Amino acid sequence: MIEPLTRLPDGTIKQVNPITGTKVWTLPGRAARPLGQPSRHPLPIDPLDHDRHCAFCWARMRETTPEIARLVHDPDGWHDVRGLLAEDLDHSTPQFRLIPNLFEILSYDYWHLAHGWQPTADSRARRTAYLSTPGGREHVTSLARIQMRARGTVGADAEPLAEEDLEREAVGLFAGNHQVVISRRHYVDDATDDSQLAGSGTLTPEEHWRYTKFTIRAMHDLYRDNECARYVSVFQNWLAPAGASFDHLHKQVVAIDELGAQKEREIERLRTEPDMFARWGAEYAASQGLVVARTEHAVAFAGVGHRYPALVVHVTDGDGCPWELGEAQVRDFSDLVHACHAATGVHVPSNEEWHHRPPSVDVPMPLRAVIKWRISTLAGFEGGTKIYVNTIDPWAVQQRAVTQLRRLADDGLVSDRIEIA
């Protein structure tokens, strides 16, 4: 196998991802570029816009699809609330909300026409209950019009909307296989200007753990409710350069009907090299001085051979599906992902990608997350050669993250369960 990291005499570092084979070059002198600085002069926040800054803000809940679930924190603790009607949305403050994506990657029609998939009984009952109230009917009608206009469907502006149009559009709004987990805050509490965004790293470790658990349940439910789902992709796009529609913290949970080429290659390799992730993950990172932090059940390290500089988190002692992991394992995974985001900072665009063993796979595959810093733009060189040029090498990523984590730990802003490298 090609050595994953090679340093040349001029300082160029050539990387080969030991899992995917992706080739990356880091050129000398690029690692000193500043990161995490606001791109423009901050503007004051208008108090009249409180919790109404974008369509994901909780004061604008009726601009998003009917809620599947919410996570509420009150004096009695954390509660998972489901089955709310439109008239109930303002009766509690959701810390996190689970909703269907209005414009899915794979629509209800895709699943129904390609696989014969039908909405579950629970989905049908929720749709009937929601449409039975005036507020619910008004909400769904407005969303149906948006979908019809987007597709150029005749009748979108009819008054009233035709019943058959409402019924057709409503099915997908309650039987979606592409869901979104939305955090409450757009800006941090007590923010005074628009540079003070609320990202993953500004949550408390407890809040981030709840966010993680809520997402894992959504993933599990999609597998359970759609027997045609081969894989459920979980990812988080943070800021516009990383593909986010809003600068508002959210994860996406998307069912697809195939594993994908990379996952299939991983499975085949694991059949002959079952320790692949341990060997080329935590063990290789430790041998190269790339470990950022550890917990009892997980490890975070600077990734090798990613298209963008990356921090990687692996669960080290669990190979099952994410919902089969113990509470301590999920907590350790969450604490390290949170710490990686906190060390990255809210002004660095990033993609957080989860990788896991789906239920149909019988080889060991730990839960992993990759946090990629979207600080460069792929161009013609990368397209023509499939060699990617990174601005920061893995050792510099590790040093930046460790330095930031030590400061954050001193301020009590990351979990005390973490042992920093």
Side-chain angles (χ1 to χ4, degrees):
M1 177 174 173
I2 299 174
E3 176 62 29
L5 283 167
T6 304
R7 190 189 296 270
L8 301 183
D10 72 329
T12 294
I13 295 169
K14 291 190 175 183
Q15 307 173 43
V16 179
N17 188 300
I19 305 297
T20 66
T22 300
K23 294 184 177 182
V24 176
W25 292 355
T26 307
L27 306 178
R30 304 284 287 177
R33 297 174 68 188
L35 287 178
Q37 301 300 316
S39 59
R40 55 173 176 75
H41 185 73
L43 300 174
I45 297 172
D46 188 340
L48 297 177
D49 289 335
H50 181 64
D51 292 321
R52 301 187 59 84
H53 305 288
C54 76
F56 282 174
C57 288
W58 72 273
R60 294 170 60 178
M61 288 183 285
R62 288 164 183 82
E63 295 180 34
T64 58
T65 51
E67 196 172 288
I68 299 169
R70 67 173 49 182
L71 203 55
V72 175
H73 187 212
D74 59 28
D76 295 326
W78 291 83
H79 310 284
D80 190 328
V81 180
R82 293 173 183 259
L84 289 179
L85 303 178
E87 286 79 1
D88 301 328
L89 292 177
D90 300 317
H91 293 174
S92 61
T93 302
Q95 298 303 316
F96 301 98
R97 304 173 63 223
L98 177 65
I99 65 168
N101 194 307
L102 185 59
F103 297 105
E104 302 166 288
I105 290 176
L106 297 182
S107 68
Y108 165 73
D109 284 345
Y110 176 91
W111 291 103
H112 179 63
L113 297 175
H115 297 286
W117 182 77
Q118 297 283 353
T120 64
D122 178 69
S123 167
R124 295 195 299 271
R126 196 162 56 87
R127 183 174 81 235
T128 298
Y130 203 86
L131 287 170
S132 69
T133 72
R137 194 172 184 83
E138 179 183 359
H139 183 197
V140 173
T141 297
S142 68
L143 296 173
R145 293 185 191 280
I146 291 172
Q147 289 184 311
M148 291 172 68
R149 290 181 188 124
R151 295 197 308 271
T153 303
V154 175
D157 297 316
E159 288 292 352
L161 188 67
E163 192 66 23
E164 60 269 25
D165 288 334
L166 176 62
E167 288 295 327
R168 182 191 64 248
E169 301 298 329
V171 173
L173 292 175
F174 292 88
N177 284 273
H178 181 169
Q179 299 174 359
V180 186
V181 183
I182 303 172
S183 179
R184 172 177 64 84
R185 302 177 185 90
H186 190 107
Y187 298 108
V188 297
D189 294 335
D190 303 320
T192 57
D193 68 61
D194 65 359
S195 72
Q196 297 170 287
L197 292 166
S200 283
T202 67
L203 299 175
T204 67
E206 173 78 14
E207 289 171 334
H208 193 271
W209 177 46
R210 300 289 176 174
Y211 182 35
T212 300
K213 288 177 62 179
F214 199 48
T215 302
I216 289 174
R217 175 168 179 181
M219 173 200 297
H220 187 197
D221 288 350
L222 282 181
Y223 277 119
R224 179 199 64 197
D225 294 341
N226 186 348
E227 67 279 3
C228 305
R230 298 284 311 284
Y231 194 71
V232 175
S233 174
V234 176
F235 58 93
Q236 175 176 294
N237 300 333
W238 176 247
L239 304 183
S245 300
F246 302 111
D247 293 347
H248 190 123
L249 180 61
H250 65 284
K251 279 184 168 57
Q252 299 189 55
V253 188
V254 186
I256 58 176
D257 57 354
E258 59 180 71
L259 294 176
Q262 179 55 43
K263 186 66 61 183
E264 290 171 347
R265 286 193 292 268
E266 289 176 5
I267 292 167
E268 288 306 307
R269 186 171 166 190
L270 283 166
R271 297 197 188 283
T272 58
E273 192 181 348
D275 66 341
M276 175 178 72
F277 288 111
R279 179 183 179 190
W280 295 112
E283 292 175 14
Y284 185 75
S287 74
Q288 298 297 316
L290 297 176
V291 172
V292 171
R294 293 182 181 274
T295 54
E296 181 181 356
H297 302 287
V299 61
F301 52 89
V304 175
H306 292 277
R307 296 183 183 188
Y308 302 93
L311 292 166
V312 182
V313 177
H314 280 204
V315 172
T316 54
D317 59 358
D319 294 323
C321 301
W323 52 90
E324 297 171 340
L325 299 176
E327 190 163 284
Q329 292 169 307
V330 175
R331 183 64 185 258
D332 280 5
F333 171 78
S334 173
D335 282 348
L336 287 177
V337 173
H338 171 260
C340 287
H341 281 292
T344 299
V346 296
H347 297 294
V348 177
S350 66
N351 298 120
E352 177 190 315
E353 304 165 0
W354 288 17
H355 303 267
H356 69 281
R357 181 175 75 80
S360 62
V361 171
D362 61 356
V363 292
M365 190 175 287
L367 175 62
R368 324 183 292 289
V370 182
I371 296 99
K372 297 179 179 177
W373 298 352
R374 295 290 298 272
I375 57 175
S376 60
T377 301
L378 302 183
F381 176 78
E382 289 86 353
T385 65
K386 296 300 182 286
I387 297 172
Y388 300 90
V389 177
N390 270 355
T391 57
I392 308 177
D393 68 62
W395 291 286
V397 171
Q398 190 266 358
Q399 291 167 5
R400 286 172 185 260
V402 167
T403 300
Q404 285 293 94
L405 277 183
R406 287 175 179 155
R407 180 184 63 79
L408 292 163
D410 289 343
D411 293 339
L413 297 176
V414 294
S415 173
D416 60 8
R417 298 155 60 94
I418 291 174
E419 178 186 345
I420 301 171

